[in-house]
Amino acid sequence: MDTTTLLSYVAKASYFLAAVLFILGIKRMASPVTARKGIVQAGIGMVVATLATFALTGTHNLGLIVLAIALGVAPTWIWGKKVAMTDMPQMVALFNGMGGGSAAAIGAGELLKFVDAGTAPSIPTLTLAVIGALIGAISMTGSIIAWAKLDGRMDKRFTFGGQQVFNFLVFAASVAAGLALVFWKLDTTIIIAFFALALIFGVLMTLPIGGADMPVVISLFNALTGLAVGFEGFVMQNEALIIAGTVVGAAGTLLTQLMAKAMNRPISNVLFSNFGGGGGGQEIAGSQKPIEASDAASLLYLAEKVIIVPGYGMAVAQAQHKIWELSQQLIKRDKTVKFAIHPVAGRMPGHMNVLLAEAGVPYDLIADMDDINPEFSTCDVAIVIGANDVVNPVAKTDKSSPIYGMPILDVVNARQVIVIKRGKGTGFAGIENALFYQDNCKMLYADGQEAANRLIAELKAIDASGGH
């Protein structure tokens, strides 16, 4: 057996090992307890796959490969070490876009290589190259727009008359260019037009989508990136890309479906509707009832069981550490404290879980919607900080509401509810929250950190006065 053949066998075995590490890593990411180990495991798999690629390519373009790795690793390592947890959705969106861009670049390279060779590959190979490039390009620019929205660099949505028709025409034109490459002529001009149209469509399809839909959108682009990588793996006959792309694509697809189900909205509604434009629903009678921090602290002091419901407002206020400090004050006073997480709370899948983990909240205090909902009826005080539509009871009672049918956290069933909110604005759906008008609900108008600080101070003041 010659050296080349031996290296080929070693590379194939390494790809298999890398694939196993990818799969096990993603499986471990399903639990907050094992997620960190899963990330490390998948990272080791990527290192193994990269080293195996060196074994296959030998010294061909070695300098360029090393330079590309250095340019990719150095800045992202520094950024990853410095990024604040509250900025994690932006980083995830941008890195996902890089993955899509990489798949698109592989597709472009393969297509241009076919042009230079002067001979077209088989129809299936060329089709997969085009599909992978199309999906990757859309995912890249779409993810960049998602990053800009999450980072506050762009308005929540951008709409214009006939937008969906225009978007469809752009997408149809990109598909037509792709079909021309497969069935008519491999030409550099057509390749440039194909990629330009695909990149533009990625921007156009994401512009009208609001920030609160970003968990679904990020999951969708993650799935698209995985599929693009898998398709390009078939083109390059690279087992590591095929397996990794397929696993990521499948995981992203399942997560997208779960996110959409949690909002009771089909994917098409997220991508092609103007949800959140406001209006709709019945008039809500009554008024919001403000409460002072001293009175809210008294309710907490007398409570035995407290459930805290975090939302995007907590992330904006960067109040997770102070909320955990408040929780520790309650636990120290023998109160039962739990955190209730809605699947689409925040701006990326698991957003609230990440923030609470970063603040040091133990995993066993964090419960998902299905597990925690039955407990609200036995809860003395529920604290809602920065959550809005996901606790709005009209989702169950008002068929004319735009959020009717969306699963919600049953905060309204708690004996007392304290809502920490900076003002009287509506949620992303643009409708009033009936919870805020309930007799058992009081509004503590303040920034999340400020409110938590005041509640902590008032609890200590009650202790100092002997509980009076």
Side-chain angles (χ1 to χ4, degrees):
M1 183 184 297
D2 58 31
T3 304
T4 302
T5 304
L6 178 61
L7 287 175
S8 176
Y9 284 136
V10 170
K12 301 293 184 183
S14 299
Y15 283 153
F16 177 77
L17 174 60
V20 172
L21 290 171
F22 290 151
I23 294 170
L24 293 178
I26 289 179
K27 185 177 186 301
R28 301 191 89 172
M29 290 179 205
S31 168
V33 179
T34 57
R36 185 185 295 271
K37 292 181 180 178
I39 292 171
V40 172
Q41 208 167 33
I44 293 172
M46 183 58 68
V47 172
V48 170
T50 303
L51 294 176
T53 303
F54 277 112
L56 282 178
T57 58
T59 58
H60 184 63
N61 286 332
L62 182 61
L64 290 175
I65 295 173
V66 172
L67 177 62
I69 292 174
L71 291 174
V73 170
T76 52
W77 175 273
I78 295 171
W79 187 17
K81 297 289 281 186
K82 291 184 176 181
V83 66
M85 279 295 175
T86 49
D87 293 334
M88 196 60 69
Q90 294 94 300
M91 189 180 77
V92 169
L94 197 56
F95 282 6
N96 186 66
M98 291 179 183
S102 298
I106 292 173
E110 291 298 306
L111 290 173
L112 291 173
K113 187 170 69 175
F114 297 150
V115 172
D116 289 340
T119 55
S122 65
I123 294 295
T125 298
L126 191 54
T127 301
L128 290 175
V130 168
I131 293 175
L134 174 67
I135 295 173
I138 292 172
S139 179
M140 183 183 77
T141 51
S143 296
I144 291 172
I145 297 300
W147 164 78
K149 287 172 177 282
L150 292 169
D151 205 44
R153 300 169 185 264
M154 184 178 289
D155 291 335
K156 288 185 178 180
R157 57 166 59 85
F158 178 81
T159 58
F160 55 87
Q163 185 173 27
Q164 300 303 341
V165 174
F166 181 77
N167 289 0
F168 173 77
L169 291 175
V170 173
F171 178 70
S174 64
V175 171
L179 291 173
L181 289 172
V182 174
F183 296 106
W184 180 49
K185 183 181 181 182
L186 268 173
D187 180 78
T188 304
T189 303
I190 299 176
I191 291 174
I192 293 173
F194 166 72
F195 277 100
L197 290 166
L199 293 169
I200 291 171
F201 178 72
V203 173
L204 292 173
M205 73 172 287
T206 317
L207 282 177
I209 302 174
D213 283 330
M214 282 303 133
V216 180
V217 174
I218 290 175
S219 296
L220 177 62
F221 284 144
N222 181 59
L224 292 178
T225 296
L227 291 174
V229 170
F231 287 140
E232 300 302 346
F234 277 106
V235 175
M236 299 182 69
Q237 298 183 350
N238 186 303
E239 291 84 353
L241 288 180
I242 295 171
I243 297 172
T246 303
V247 170
V248 171
T253 301
L254 289 173
L255 186 57
T256 303
Q257 292 176 334
L258 289 173
M259 294 290 104
K261 182 180 178 182
M263 299 175 72
N264 196 41
R265 296 168 61 201
I267 303 298
S268 58
N269 183 269
V270 174
L271 296 177
F272 307 124
S273 78
N274 287 323
F275 179 79
Q282 300 173 356
E283 289 282 334
I284 298 176
S287 60
Q288 298 182 12
K289 295 164 281 295
I291 189 173
E292 295 297 324
S294 56
D295 295 326
S298 296
L299 291 176
L300 293 173
Y301 189 85
L302 296 172
E304 293 183 1
K305 183 176 183 179
V306 177
I307 297 178
I308 300 173
V309 181
Y312 183 59
M314 185 186 77
V316 173
Q318 300 186 33
Q320 63 271 23
H321 290 279
K322 284 299 177 182
I323 291 298
W324 173 230
E325 186 179 340
L326 171 62
S327 304
Q328 289 174 304
Q329 291 292 325
L330 295 172
I331 294 170
K332 188 170 71 174
R333 292 167 175 80
D334 297 323
K335 317 296 183 185
T336 299
V337 177
K338 290 188 177 182
F339 290 81
I341 307 297
H342 192 280
V344 294
R347 292 297 183 267
M348 72 174 185
H351 193 181
M352 295 301 107
N353 302 73
V354 170
L355 293 179
L356 294 177
E358 188 256 348
V361 178
Y363 302 128
D364 58 352
L365 297 186
I366 302 173
D368 62 27
M369 180 175 62
D370 293 334
D371 292 333
I372 200 68
N373 265 345
E375 297 193 33
F376 279 109
S377 60
T378 60
C379 170
D380 297 305
V381 179
I383 302 175
V384 178
I385 173 168
N388 202 320
D389 295 327
V390 297
V391 297
N392 194 340
V394 300
K396 291 187 173 183
T397 60
D398 183 4
K399 291 185 178 181
S400 64
S401 171
I403 65 170
Y404 180 74
M406 182 178 81
I408 62 167
L409 291 163
D410 294 328
V411 176
V412 69
N413 294 336
R415 296 187 180 101
Q416 296 289 334
V417 180
I418 300 171
V419 177
I420 298 174
K421 204 169 182 289
R422 286 183 294 181
K424 297 183 179 182
T426 60
F428 173 64
I431 60 173
E432 289 289 346
N433 193 328
L435 172 69
F436 301 163
Y437 295 83
Q438 298 293 315
D439 292 335
N440 64 336
C441 182
K442 305 295 188 296
M443 309 295 293
L444 179 56
Y445 295 113
D447 171 83
Q449 286 200 49
E450 177 192 350
N453 277 328
R454 285 161 55 187
L455 289 172
I456 292 168
E458 293 294 344
L459 283 172
K460 291 179 179 179
I462 294 173
D463 283 339
S465 65
H468 299 291

